[in-house]
């Protein structure tokens, strides 16, 4: 049932005693699941109303209520950003509308964040570090999902099996994802608290800093890489790496060498999740959209692999040995006899001639890459369940193109960066 901003204002008045709206405007939200509005009351205070469109979306909001209750005053005080406060709720049948006290800041487009300079990159890294440093007890106390590394990998394999039963995934993509999920080295990570639905629409920016983080509907303990997948949609190819470097500096511990590969896999695998959700909802438009995006991704990946094979062949001409091997010493043949992806050279990145310096004195930067072409996705939820470990669960897929992530070891295949066009 579609609700107008005026209807949302009336619901907010019923949910929060004493609230008298004097102004209302619709605001963007996950279009498939929610309708939202920004209210101004007679004292000039602002409020956000979020109303679900179906029971699964309502369940996600109720899960967020559990999560936000777990943020005690002591935990909130330690965070470098604000988290929402729910002022009231109103249930109508199976659907429950939530009213939030307004938080300062504005939402920015992803490429605006990518072009925001070194300080904003550091802010994003610190924000991610603060989330992943939250105590796991916060999640356990809220009775929310918790997955250790191997359990998480097995759940992903189960999701892939479910997607494969549709018969709609290109064989090359299916094989690629199977190989990545079966590579246990890639999945040796330390589970942390994960936001689970992190993307630019859930960040508020004020005075050049992350002032608030919203959208805590998928809070869990799991793979920290899930919170990085959204960064890979930026048209600037070095942005995600720069944020990751700032994140590592803020956490002050050894970097997970495979985190960005798993993030890239999460961005790719979102297409399969979108397909499964479309099949479950019997939504022909979603199914066609997912098939089109997977076809584009498959075509781009095969072009990248052909270029990689040519690169290897060219490099082998300069090696004293006639065996073709990559620069890290890995065999060129994969387990099934196909040519493996090369360890492509890493570009020297910079931002307008500047470098990003972390607290430990190391520097890294990123360059302004050209946008890619095609269509693709963030990480929509496969079934609307708040316990699902997919990131960015409800947004419509966004444009992407593919460029390889250079491999820094010999045990894992490189995965692509997804960039917006």
């Amino acid at each position: 049932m579609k609700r107008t901003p005026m209807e949302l204002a009336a619901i907010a008045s019923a949910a929060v005693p004493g609230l008298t709206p004097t102004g209302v405007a619709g605001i963007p939200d996950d279009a498939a699941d929610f309708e939202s509005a920004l209210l101004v009351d007679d004292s000039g205070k602002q409020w956000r109303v979020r109303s679900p469109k179906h029971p699964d979306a309502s369940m996600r909001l109720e899960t967020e209520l559990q999560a936000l209750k777990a943020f005690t005053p002591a935990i909130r005080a330690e965070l470098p950003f604000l988290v929402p406060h729910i002022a009231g709720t109103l249930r109508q049948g199976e659907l429950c509308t939530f009213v939030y006290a307004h938080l300062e800041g504005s939402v920015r487009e992803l490429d605006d964040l990518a072009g925001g300079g070194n300080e904003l990159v550091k802010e994003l890294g610190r924000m991610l570090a603060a989330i992943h440093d939250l105590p796991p007890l916060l999640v356990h106390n809220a009775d929310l999902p918790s997955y250790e590394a191997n359990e998480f990998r097995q759940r992903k394999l189960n999701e892939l099996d479910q997607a494969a039963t549709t018969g709609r995934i290109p064989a090359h993509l299916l094989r690629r994802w199977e190989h990545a999920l079966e590579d246990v080295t890639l999945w040796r990570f330390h589970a942390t608290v994960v936001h689970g639905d992190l993307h630019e629409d859930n960040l508020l920016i004020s005075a050049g800093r992350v002032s608030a983080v919203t959208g805590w509907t998928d809070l869990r303990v799991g793979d920290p890489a899930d919170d990085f997948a959204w960064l890979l949609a930026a048209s600037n190819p070095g942005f995600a790496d720069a944020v990751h470097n700032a994140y590592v500096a803020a956490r002050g511990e050894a970097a997970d060498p495979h985190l960005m590969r798993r993030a890239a896999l999460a961005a790719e695998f979102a297409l399969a999740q979108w397909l499964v959700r479309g099949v479950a909802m019997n939504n022909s438009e979603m199914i066609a959209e997912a098939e089109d995006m997977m076809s584009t991704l498959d075509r781009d990946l095969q072009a990248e692999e052909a270029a990689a094979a040519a690169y290897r062949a060219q490099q082998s001409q300069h090696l004293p040995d006639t065996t073709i091997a990559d620069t890290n010493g890995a065999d060129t043949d994969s387990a099934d006899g196909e040519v493996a992806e090369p360890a492509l050279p890493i570009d020297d990145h910079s931002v307008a001639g500047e470098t990003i310096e972390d607290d430990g004195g190391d520097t890294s930067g990123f360059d302004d890459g050209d946008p890619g072409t095609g269509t693709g996705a963030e990480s929509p939820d496969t079934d609307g369940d708040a316990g699902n470990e997919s990131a960015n669960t409800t947004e419509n897929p966004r444009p992407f193109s593919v460029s390889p992530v250079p491999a820094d070891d010999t045990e894992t295949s490189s995965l692509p960066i997804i960039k917006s066009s």
Side-chain angles (χ1 to χ4, degrees):
M1 179 177 63
K2 183 174 178 58
R3 294 185 173 97
T4 67
M6 290 298 294
E7 289 172 327
L8 293 177
I11 293 172
S13 297
V16 181
L19 172 59
T20 305
T22 58
V24 59
I27 55 176
D29 206 327
D30 297 342
D33 292 334
F34 303 107
E35 290 162 336
S36 294
L38 184 65
L39 309 181
V40 178
D41 67 15
D42 53 0
S43 66
K45 187 176 180 179
Q46 295 182 329
W47 308 80
R48 183 190 182 197
V49 188
R50 203 175 191 201
S51 182
K53 291 183 175 180
H54 51 78
D56 284 344
S58 186
M59 186 179 298
R60 290 182 61 205
L61 291 183
E62 294 185 51
T63 300
E64 182 182 37
L65 176 60
Q66 290 177 247
L68 294 177
K69 285 180 177 179
F71 282 88
T72 64
I75 291 175
R76 288 174 181 255
E78 292 293 322
L79 292 172
F81 51 79
L82 298 176
V83 298
H85 170 71
I86 295 177
T89 65
L90 182 67
R91 179 171 295 280
Q92 296 173 303
E94 294 182 298
L95 306 182
C96 189
T97 297
F98 284 66
V99 182
Y100 303 79
H102 180 66
L103 296 171
E104 291 299 325
S106 59
V107 172
R108 294 192 187 177
E109 295 292 331
L110 179 58
D111 283 339
D112 290 338
L113 294 176
N118 298 344
E119 287 304 316
L120 186 52
V121 164
K122 289 182 180 180
E123 272 286 304
L124 293 169
R126 286 192 289 263
M127 175 269 297
L128 283 159
I131 293 172
H132 296 171
D133 282 335
L134 284 166
L137 190 61
L138 179 148
V139 172
H140 301 324
N141 287 343
D143 198 26
L144 296 174
S146 179
Y147 310 110
E148 292 302 322
N150 191 56
E151 182 183 9
F152 183 86
R153 183 179 73 90
Q154 188 58 55
R155 288 178 64 87
K156 287 294 185 186
L157 281 166
N158 293 342
E159 283 189 64
L160 182 59
D161 288 344
Q162 181 185 12
T165 62
T166 66
R168 298 173 183 269
I169 299 178
H172 172 260
L173 277 186
L174 188 61
R175 186 165 59 250
R176 172 186 177 83
W177 294 337
E178 286 174 343
H179 288 174
L181 287 167
E182 289 168 357
D183 182 357
V184 295
T185 303
L186 188 67
W187 300 92
R188 291 172 183 161
F189 63 84
H190 174 64
T192 69
V193 173
V194 176
H195 180 282
D197 190 22
L198 203 58
H199 51 81
E200 62 272 24
D201 290 344
N202 282 335
L203 301 181
L204 296 178
I205 309 298
S206 178
R209 58 178 296 272
V210 178
S211 58
V213 178
T214 63
W216 297 86
T217 58
D218 295 292
L219 183 70
R220 58 181 177 267
V221 171
D223 185 0
D226 282 355
D227 282 347
F228 283 83
W230 67 286
L231 297 168
L232 300 173
S235 59
N236 187 325
F239 174 60
D241 284 337
V243 174
H244 178 247
N245 290 339
Y247 164 84
V248 171
R251 293 207 74 190
E253 60 182 46
D256 175 352
H258 309 302
L259 185 146
M260 293 308 293
R261 283 190 186 80
R262 295 197 309 277
L265 176 64
E268 279 188 39
F269 192 56
L271 306 186
Q273 293 169 323
W274 191 248
L275 170 67
V276 170
R277 188 180 182 192
V279 171
M281 297 173 64
N282 197 27
N283 186 318
S284 59
E285 183 177 345
M286 287 175 62
I287 293 170
E289 187 177 38
E291 288 184 311
D292 180 63
M293 290 185 296
M294 285 191 293
S295 176
T296 300
L297 176 61
D298 187 38
R299 185 168 58 250
D300 289 348
L301 284 172
Q302 294 199 51
E304 289 288 346
E305 289 167 7
Y311 174 85
R312 285 182 184 276
Q314 182 183 32
Q315 293 300 306
S316 71
Q317 296 174 7
H318 304 291
L319 296 176
D321 186 15
T322 57
T323 302
I324 299 177
D326 71 22
T327 55
N328 286 323
D331 293 335
T332 59
D333 290 338
S334 62
D336 61 359
E338 294 184 354
V339 176
E341 296 179 26
L344 299 179
I346 300 176
D347 292 334
D348 185 22
H349 302 303
S350 63
V351 181
E354 299 178 357
T355 58
I356 298 174
E357 184 172 337
D358 65 40
D359 295 338
D362 295 332
T363 59
S364 63
F366 55 100
D367 61 12
D368 292 321
D370 292 331
T373 59
T375 58
E378 287 187 340
S379 304
D381 195 359
T382 59
D383 58 8
D385 179 46
N388 189 287
E389 65 271 17
S390 305
N392 306 337
T393 55
T394 57
E395 282 208 312
N396 290 329
R398 65 171 60 214
F400 71 79
S401 68
V402 183
S403 63
V405 177
D408 55 11
D409 57 68
T410 61
E411 299 182 68
T412 61
S413 300
S414 58
L415 293 167
I417 289 177
I418 305 300
K419 303 188 301 248
S420 63
S421 62

